[in-house]
Amino acid sequence: MTKLSVNINKIATLRNARGGNVPDLLKVAADIQKFGGHGITIHPRPDERHIRYQDARDLKSVVYTEFNIEGNPQHNFIDLVLECKPEQVTLVPDAIGAITSSAGWDTVQNQAYLTEMIQEFQRNNIRTSIFVDPQLDMIEGAKKTGTDRIELYTEAFAHQYSLGNHSGIDPYIKASELAIELGLGINAGHDLSLDNIQFFKQNIPGLLEVSIGHALIAESLYLGLENVVNMYLQKLK
């Protein structure tokens, strides 16, 4: 079964809108695990507009499944990850002030930098994953960094799927086949939803984990968080 890691950034966004502790981020994380979620993902950004660095520290004692921290490996982020020691760190090339992730790494141009970062995290027994577009040269570049896994950036697939173009999955299949050949683990995330997740799962060989936040939280407004988590789990079997 492909594992479901729930990104709780949007819960933090809602909490921060009023300045208090409603909804309670730690309780939501605990409940997601109780409902069957396999992990919790957070993506703190330098301005802390949703997940705060202290949230990462507080979640460490709450997350008993898999803790995945995403972000651009700059100084404060690196220090935070090494302090919290999550099971996985996912390196994402976010620009400061970006609304959301918009591209994968150029693993060729940034190979030396990524290799240095990955070695630092692996020395601390943290599994590493690199956020990449489904391009074969980027997959090959990722392998050369020594990363444990890649996370396929799935916005392009989700957009094409919404237009009825199922062939949008093809680059992801080829990228996954190459990743398997190279011995890389495969994660995926961004714009995956109840509408497209089953098709994606059924077509991607070796898919270990998906990280889903925005769609899952939005769907939960209508269907309820426990119900939605279990709907995803059914589609990921």
Side-chain angles (χ1 to χ4, degrees):
M1 179 178 183
T2 300
K3 291 186 176 182
L4 171 66
S5 186
V6 179
N7 186 316
I8 57 173
N9 277 23
K10 286 299 183 292
I11 300 298
T13 300
L14 185 59
R15 174 201 61 189
N16 295 353
R18 289 292 293 268
N21 195 41
V22 178
D24 185 330
L25 189 79
L26 302 185
K27 184 178 187 305
V28 171
D31 286 342
I32 287 168
Q33 294 171 103
K34 182 175 69 177
F35 299 154
H38 302 117
I40 299 296
T41 291
I42 60 171
H43 190 147
R45 287 182 166 84
D47 61 7
E48 298 185 283
R49 64 180 180 272
H50 34 62
I51 291 292
R52 300 168 183 151
Y53 278 32
Q54 187 58 45
D55 291 330
R57 301 181 180 101
D58 294 340
L59 282 163
K60 183 59 182 173
S61 63
V62 174
V63 179
Y64 56 85
T65 52
E66 179 189 278
F67 194 17
N68 174 43
I69 302 182
E70 299 180 342
N72 197 328
Q74 298 170 343
H75 293 297
N76 290 343
F77 179 85
I78 295 167
D79 292 343
L80 179 72
V81 172
L82 294 179
E83 177 185 350
C84 293
K85 287 190 167 58
E87 283 70 29
Q88 178 173 268
V89 59
T90 301
L91 308 183
V92 182
D94 285 331
I96 294 176
I99 295 175
T100 187
S101 304
S102 58
W105 283 98
D106 183 330
T107 59
V108 176
Q109 292 293 323
N110 296 284
Q111 189 172 122
Y113 176 63
L114 289 168
T115 299
E116 180 184 356
M117 293 298 101
I118 285 163
Q119 289 175 348
E120 178 66 22
F121 292 129
Q122 290 176 338
R123 276 195 294 269
N124 286 271
N125 299 312
I126 301 169
R127 186 173 73 233
T128 58
S129 180
I130 299 177
F131 196 62
V132 293
D133 295 303
Q135 299 173 4
L136 301 187
D137 56 341
M138 295 300 108
I139 308 300
E140 292 170 347
K143 173 63 178 178
K144 292 177 181 178
T145 68
T147 190
D148 301 297
R149 296 187 183 184
I150 55 168
E151 179 173 323
L152 293 172
Y153 173 41
T154 48
E155 182 183 23
F157 155 74
H159 177 66
Q160 290 300 316
Y161 188 87
S162 71
L163 299 176
N165 179 16
H166 289 186
S167 65
I169 194 75
D170 292 348
Y172 294 87
I173 296 173
K174 293 176 182 177
S176 299
E177 290 173 344
L178 177 59
I180 291 170
E181 181 183 329
L182 295 174
L184 294 171
I186 303 168
N187 297 342
H190 209 281
D191 286 354
L192 296 175
S193 68
L194 283 174
D195 182 53
N196 60 37
I197 188 63
Q198 189 167 37
F199 180 83
F200 189 81
K201 151 71 177 175
Q202 289 173 344
N203 284 277
I204 298 300
L207 183 61
L208 297 174
E209 175 183 298
V210 292
S211 174
I212 304 178
H214 183 82
L216 189 151
I217 300 304
E219 291 155 347
S220 297
L221 295 175
Y222 289 92
L223 302 172
L225 184 58
E226 181 174 7
N227 188 34
V228 167
V229 167
N230 280 277
M231 291 170 75
Y232 274 98
L233 294 176
Q234 288 298 314
K235 290 177 182 290
L236 288 168
K237 285 184 177 179

